[in-house]
Amino acid sequence: MEQEKDPKKEIPLSKVIILSTFALVVLFIFAFACCYGCTYQPITPPDPEEAVDVIAQLEESNWVLDDAEGVPVLQELGGRELSTIAFSIQDSESELLPMQLGFAGLPKISGTLAYEEDSGFTFMMGNQALNVEVVYSQSKDKKTETLTLKGKDSNIHCYYLKK
């Protein structure tokens, strides 16, 4: 006489382990995706009042490239390593912030930081705007200030820390 098979089959222990591991991996990926999605904020240009505050924070400041994760190079800056940025006092007539860019192995180059309401801050060399977005940020505890340069074409980010 044949025994009828119980509809409640037992699943082997090895399959239980594999399914449990798979479920944990999927749960981890889902949780990470949700957290990353919540914290990621696209760069938005500051409004004119915020821009005035940023200019005030940048005046007479010096910045050095954060090379902890390697040395990023923006093709928009001629493919050269921009190692330092030094801002002077704002020119009240033109509303531009004079600066000196220090490229590795080259003499410093003068330029200006310019603000446009629709696009935010960018670097200017003479009358030509460079294809780089400039974003100033400050940590919540106000102990760390960061200047981020983002190439509009290359989408590469370079981070500068205040000296």
Side-chain angles (χ1 to χ4, degrees), residues 63-68 70-73 81-85 157-161:
W63 301 80
V64 293
L65 177 64
D66 180 8
D67 58 0
V71 178
V73 176
E81 175 191 333
L82 178 59
S83 54
T84 62
I85 304 169
H157 291 71
C158 296
Y159 302 97
Y160 295 82
L161 302 174

Side-chain angles (χ1 to χ4, degrees), residues 122-136:
T122 191
F123 287 159
M124 301 279 294
M125 293 298 169
N127 291 329
Q128 182 178 359
L130 301 178
N131 211 11
V132 174
E133 290 178 54
V134 181
V135 179
Y136 169 82

Side-chain angles (χ1 to χ4, degrees), residues 79-93:
R80 292 173 276 164
E81 175 191 333
L82 178 59
S83 54
T84 62
I85 304 169
F87 294 103
S88 301
I89 297 174
Q90 182 179 12
D91 181 6
S92 58
E93 292 178 15

Side-chain angles (χ1 to χ4, degrees), residues 29 32 45 52 57 69 71 100 103 111-113 125 148-149 157:
I29 290 171
F32 176 75
V52 169
Q57 292 291 330
E69 295 182 12
V71 178
Q100 294 255 322
F103 291 94
T112 54
L113 179 72
M125 293 298 169
T148 304
L149 273 56
H157 291 71

Side-chain angles (χ1 to χ4, degrees), residues 27-80:
L27 181 64
F28 175 77
I29 290 171
F30 178 72
F32 176 75
C34 287
C35 291
Y36 180 76
C38 294
T39 60
Y40 174 74
Q41 297 294 323
I43 296 174
T44 55
D47 61 41
E49 292 81 27
E50 292 172 327
V52 169
D53 292 338
V54 168
I55 293 289
Q57 292 291 330
L58 294 177
E59 278 187 313
E60 297 186 293
S61 65
N62 293 300
W63 301 80
V64 293
L65 177 64
D66 180 8
D67 58 0
E69 295 182 12
V71 178
V73 176
L74 293 173
Q75 295 307 315
E76 292 83 354
L77 297 177
R80 292 173 276 164

